[in-house]
Amino acid sequence: MIWSKITYWETEKNAVADAIRRGMNFIFQNDIETIEPGKYLIEGELLFALVQETTTTGLQMQKPESHQKYMDIQYLVKGEEKIGVAKLSPSQQVMEDYFETKDITFYGELHNEIELNLYPGDYAVFFPADIHRPCCTVKHDQKIRKVVIKIHSSLFE
């Protein structure tokens, strides 16, 4: 997992893979405050952005998830969001496995979960070994706007 602020991007961008830099370019090249929610292809299905507006809920209301084929950059545009994070391990109990059809698996109660609070301008990168529980409430349920950039693992080879 990587966690940072967009204001540090210029000094940190050379420490990440080129695929992450190409994904982050979507944020810099678009008016992400006003762009319509939806899916935006950057490099076809290998690299694309999902602009989302949703309402946060309590941590226990959200399902922890992980992906095998895609990595996520989750960038918060508006609001406050808590994301629970834990490392993938045999002790994490799989509840619903959709890796083959939808590249997502959901988990039960997580072991060693940490809580990451995101505020506008913050982003986190989640790799296949990072179970994450997005869209959770920080102080009170609220509407958030975020950009999730999906990067296919083949772009890291």
Side-chain angles (χ1 to χ4, degrees):
M1 179 189 77
I2 298 170
W3 169 63
S4 194
K5 293 186 165 301
I6 201 80
T7 53
Y8 302 132
W9 180 247
E10 283 303 312
T11 59
E12 295 175 346
K13 68 182 180 183
N14 291 325
V16 300
D18 184 57
I20 294 173
R21 290 194 297 271
R22 294 194 319 266
M24 290 293 286
N25 282 340
F26 179 85
I27 294 166
F28 293 107
Q29 295 171 354
N30 292 277
D31 184 354
I32 56 172
E33 301 243 354
T34 61
I35 192 172
E36 287 294 316
K39 183 175 181 177
Y40 295 86
L41 299 179
I42 301 167
E43 295 177 19
E45 292 295 323
L46 295 178
L47 179 61
F48 59 91
L50 302 169
V51 177
Q52 303 173 337
E53 290 183 350
T54 190
T55 301
T56 60
T57 60
L59 189 73
Q60 296 307 317
M61 300 295 292
Q62 298 289 9
K63 294 179 180 180
E65 64 186 58
S66 72
H67 314 284
Q68 282 184 331
K69 296 177 186 167
Y70 286 91
M71 286 143 230
D72 287 359
I73 300 171
Q74 298 203 13
Y75 175 75
L76 191 63
V77 180
K78 291 181 184 174
E80 298 176 341
E81 174 187 21
K82 180 185 306 260
I83 300 178
V85 183
K87 281 298 185 187
L88 189 62
S89 72
S91 67
Q92 307 293 13
Q93 181 183 10
V94 172
M95 301 302 284
E96 301 170 59
D97 183 348
Y98 302 109
F99 276 146
E100 293 302 318
T101 57
K102 300 180 183 178
D103 191 45
I104 193 166
T105 288
F106 297 105
Y107 299 85
E109 195 60 35
L110 296 179
H111 303 284
N112 299 318
E113 183 176 18
I114 63 166
E115 296 176 359
L116 179 68
N117 290 345
L118 297 183
Y119 300 95
D122 289 349
Y123 68 92
V125 180
F126 298 106
F127 298 98
D130 298 320
I131 299 173
H132 49 288
R133 185 192 312 241
C135 303
C136 299
T137 298
V138 174
K139 296 177 188 160
H140 54 83
D141 294 354
Q142 64 179 277
K143 190 169 188 168
I144 62 170
R145 180 179 182 89
K146 67 188 296 184
V147 178
V148 178
I149 297 167
K150 307 291 281 184
I151 306 170
H152 194 274
S153 60
S154 66
L155 296 179
F156 289 90
E157 295 172 356

